């Protein structure tokens, strides 16, 4: 124990003292950081801060001189322990939960002194993020981050409670495993004992949780740490936590119903928000056709419409070329967009569309009268027909893209999001959950000009698609689904292949030789020879769920010690070099 603490023991957290307003005169002991000091000569007020909130300490002419002198010496971020009596504040602070009371201090201990911090520890800071991440331990003292980290803890707590109550068993899986292809690059760990060989950090516990189903643990749950060596963005970190679950003797609807129950529970317990069930469902094809993405934000409209049949009558070369090349003509109606989007701003949208890969955008801007960017190609009545098909009214902006379907959908999907943000119509504190079902089993890789797996290789194809596996891969749909929240993919799930012959066929259809199959997945194929219950599961991104529930824009705001864009951590300056002797032990030489 710190010698300065002898004889004292904390009785209350700072934010909890507000419950004692009816018990004036009670003696309490609190601890925390100095948030701010006001010295008014014969009066000193110190606002003390801990993770529960703030409380004011007061000192006046009745305070013992030694204690008053200590209070005078206190500065921001000093660590204090204070004992005193709860009294009513003369000057109340309605912006502070404890603003009606204060503690008149009769014993003050300075436990640790602080140098002047590189930035002020305040909620609404303007300090650049790079500096805050360099001194992350100071940044984490700020109330917004503390609130986020504590809410993330609450989400994890409710997660365990819910799945325990529903018969799941929490089982830890290895952090060092065999390197197997799962979509992203592995983080590799060299072996000291087996020079030249490597462990991999798990991209997910996928194979192990399937083996646990084979072993008979029919409901598995784990808050699993996962690692992927891929480019970072706001909703991606190289290391993350996944609510990983697997269930035996179930159909997809059983897994989805279980997850819906979890979502309803966590939003109610943590945010006191009711989530309506069942959640909306869209097939992958429907989502792409209506929103241009498989993770649509459905809190606003601007849905994509296919206007090819109407537009192909117009003698506009751009439309004709798109149709000739097997593409389509589609549009969105940006309701009330004409007043916001001037010609100059529309030009910016067109440049953005070109950046995505489109040749441009055509438009109809209906301010006083409909103004069309391709009006010289229109015959009488054709503009009215287009406006009618798009349900356009005065004040609307219609944006049209003509190209190959993949380009058209991707472009309009991105443009609808830009327009919604620009018009500020996206409602806050609204949570639109959406199941995306019937995912494609294969996707075409433009670089290699081959069909590749869209999911991990253990995903079950839909029974009615089996005949297409070798002949028409574009028609094969997977027994796989995603859970999307407000445009963010929260989770992916699927039913797993449990027949070892079918699993072998899946590996072969992905271009793997017998030798590759045996080297990478031989142990799993072997396990299926001893019978397996039908099973499936999901991995829910805990970090992404916390990010949205906390109202944040970046995973860094809900991660205690995050990495930045280049996968480094600014505070500890990792990754870092190691000395040659450490490399020699591992049998490694740097090129």
């Amino acid at each position: 124990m710190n010698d300065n603490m002898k004889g004292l023991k904390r009785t209350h957290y700072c934010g909890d003292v507000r419950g004692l307003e009816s018990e004036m005169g009670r003696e309490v002991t609190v601890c925390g950081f100095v948030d701010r000091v006001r010295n008014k000569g014969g009066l000193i007020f110190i606002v003390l801060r801990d993770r529960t909130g703030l409380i004011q300490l007061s000192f006046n002419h009745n305070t013992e001189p030694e204690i008053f002198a200590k209070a005078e010496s206190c500065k921001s971020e000093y660590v204090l322990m204070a004992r005193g009596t709860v009294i009513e504040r003369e000057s109340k602070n309605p912006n502070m939960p404890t603003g009606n009371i204060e503690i008149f201090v009769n014993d003050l201990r300075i436990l640790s002194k602080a140098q002047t911090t590189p930035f002020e520890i305040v909620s609404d800071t303007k300090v650049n993020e790079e500096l805050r991440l360099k001194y992350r331990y100071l940044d984490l003292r700020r109330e917004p981050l503390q609130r986020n980290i504590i809410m993330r803890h609450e989400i994890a707590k409710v997660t365990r409670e819910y799945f325990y109550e529903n018969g799941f068993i929490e089982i830890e899986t290895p952090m060092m495993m065999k390197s197997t292809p799962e979509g992203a690059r592995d983080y590799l760990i060299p072996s000291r004992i087996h020079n030249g060989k490597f462990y991999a950090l798990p991209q997910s516990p996928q194979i192990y949780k399937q083996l646990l189903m084979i072993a008979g643990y029919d409901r598995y749950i784990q808050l699993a740490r996962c690692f992927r060596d891929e480019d970072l963005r706001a909703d991606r970190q190289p290391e993350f936590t996944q609510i990983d679950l697997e269930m035996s003797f179930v159909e997809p609807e059983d897994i989805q119903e279980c997850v819906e129950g979890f979502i309803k529970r966590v939003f109610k317990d943590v945010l006191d928000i009711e989530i309506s069930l069942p959640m909306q469902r869209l097939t992958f094809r429907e989502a792409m056709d209506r929103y241009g993405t498989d993770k649509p934000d459905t809190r606003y409209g601007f849905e994509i419409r296919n206007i090819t049949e109407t537009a192909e009558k117009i003698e506009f070369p751009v439309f004709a070329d798109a149709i000739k090349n097997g593409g389509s003509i589609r549009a969105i109606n940006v309701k009330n967009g004409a007043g916001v989007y001037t010609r100059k701003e529309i030009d910016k949208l067109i440049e953005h569309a070109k950046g995505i890969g489109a040749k441009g955008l055509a438009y109809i801007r209906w301010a006083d009268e409909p103004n069309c960017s391709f009006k010289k190609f229109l015959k009488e009545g054709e503009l009215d027909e287009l406006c009618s098909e798009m349900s356009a009214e005065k004040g609307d902006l219609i944006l049209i893209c003509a190209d190959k379907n993949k380009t058209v959908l991707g472009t309009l999907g991105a443009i609808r999001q830009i327009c919604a943000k620009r018009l500020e119509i996206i409602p806050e504190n609204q949570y639109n959950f959406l199941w995306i079902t019937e995912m494609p089993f294969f996707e075409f890789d433009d670089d290699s000009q081959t069909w590749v797996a869209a999911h991990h290789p253990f995903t079950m194809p839909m029974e009615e698609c089996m005949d297409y596996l070798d002949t028409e891969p574009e028609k094969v749909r997977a027994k796989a689904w995603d859970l999307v929240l407000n445009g963010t993919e929260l989770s992916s799930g699927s039913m797993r292949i449990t027949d070892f012959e079918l699993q072998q066929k899946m590996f072969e259809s992905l271009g793997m030789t017998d030798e590759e199959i045996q080297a990478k997945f031989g142990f799993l194929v072997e396990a299926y020879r001893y019978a397996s219950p039908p099973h499936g599961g999901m991995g829910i991104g805990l970090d992404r769920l916390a990010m949205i529930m906390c109202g944040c824009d970046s995973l860094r705001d809900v991660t205690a010690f995050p990495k930045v864009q280049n996968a480094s951590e600014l505070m500890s300056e990792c990754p870092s070099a190691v000395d040659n002797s450490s490399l020699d032990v591992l049998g490694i030489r740097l090129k």
Side-chain angles (χ1 to χ4, degrees), residues 286-471:
E286 289 172 328
M288 294 300 296
D289 285 343
R290 290 172 58 182
Y291 301 102
T293 176
D294 60 354
K295 41 181 179 292
D297 190 339
T298 60
R299 290 175 296 172
Y300 54 92
F302 306 170
E303 290 190 22
I304 300 170
R305 296 191 190 181
N306 191 334
I307 60 170
T308 304
E309 286 188 15
T310 301
E312 67 181 348
K313 303 171 191 173
I314 301 170
E315 296 178 358
F316 182 27
V318 173
F319 292 172
D321 289 345
I323 295 169
K324 180 181 177 181
N325 293 322
S328 61
I329 305 155
R330 306 187 193 224
I332 59 173
N333 183 356
V334 182
K335 301 298 290 183
N336 303 311
V340 174
Y341 277 98
T342 62
R343 174 58 193 272
K344 186 176 180 180
E345 290 215 35
I346 292 174
D347 287 343
K348 291 180 182 178
L349 284 179
I350 293 172
E351 289 304 311
H352 191 90
K354 289 179 179 178
I356 296 172
K359 296 180 178 68
L361 291 174
Y363 66 86
I364 302 170
R365 181 174 178 266
W366 192 343
D368 296 324
E369 295 291 336
N371 179 30
C372 180
S373 63
F374 50 97
K375 60 184 176 183
K376 68 179 181 180
F377 298 98
L378 294 171
K379 296 189 182 80
E380 186 176 348
E382 289 180 336
L383 179 58
D384 290 338
E385 190 176 357
L386 277 176
C387 289
S388 176
E389 182 165 358
M390 291 302 298
S391 304
E393 302 171 320
K394 184 176 180 179
D396 293 346
L397 172 66
I398 299 171
L399 299 170
I400 305 169
C401 188
D403 212 313
K404 292 182 179 179
N405 288 339
K406 184 177 180 180
T407 301
V408 169
L409 293 174
T411 300
L412 291 179
I415 293 297
R416 73 179 284 270
Q417 294 181 53
I418 293 170
C419 292
K421 290 177 181 177
R422 177 69 180 83
L423 269 63
E424 298 181 347
I425 63 167
I426 304 176
E428 295 183 4
N429 302 318
Q430 180 177 322
Y431 302 95
N432 283 22
F433 287 91
L434 177 68
W435 290 108
I436 304 295
T437 62
E438 299 186 27
M439 309 290 286
F441 194 84
F442 296 102
E443 58 188 10
F444 192 74
D445 182 65
D446 292 326
D447 294 333
S448 63
Q449 291 292 296
T450 58
W451 290 94
V452 297
H455 312 277
H456 59 68
F458 321 111
T459 301
M460 175 76 80
M462 300 186 82
E463 284 80 0
E464 62 267 31
C465 298
M466 292 292 190
D467 293 339
Y468 303 132
L469 281 171
D470 299 321
T471 57

Side-chain angles (χ1 to χ4, degrees), residues 475-506:
K475 290 185 177 180
V476 183
R477 288 167 292 136
K479 273 195 176 180
W481 56 88
D482 285 350
L483 180 60
V484 176
L485 171 56
N486 295 351
T488 296
E489 180 190 317
L490 275 188
S491 172
S492 291
S494 70
M495 299 303 295
R496 322 304 190 189
I497 297 170
T498 56
D499 179 270
F500 71 89
E501 291 182 353
L502 178 58
Q503 183 67 76
Q504 189 86 0
K505 182 177 175 60
M506 285 296 99

Side-chain angles (χ1 to χ4, degrees), residues 23 26 66 72 207 249 326 403 415 456 530 536:
E23 302 177 30
R26 180 170 179 174
E66 182 183 353
E72 279 187 310
I207 294 176
F249 308 108
D403 212 313
I415 293 297
H456 59 68
Y530 299 100

Side-chain angles (χ1 to χ4, degrees), residues 241-274:
T241 302
Q242 187 167 285
I243 302 169
D244 201 52
L245 62 114
E246 197 81 4
M247 303 169 69
S248 292
F249 308 108
V250 291
E251 294 294 336
E253 294 75 19
D254 300 314
I255 301 171
Q256 292 161 12
E257 183 179 344
C258 181
V259 170
E260 285 186 356
F262 161 65
I263 294 294
K264 186 175 181 69
R265 170 76 170 271
V266 75
F267 270 78
K268 179 61 178 175
D269 285 7
V270 177
L271 294 179
D272 196 26
I273 290 174
E274 290 287 353

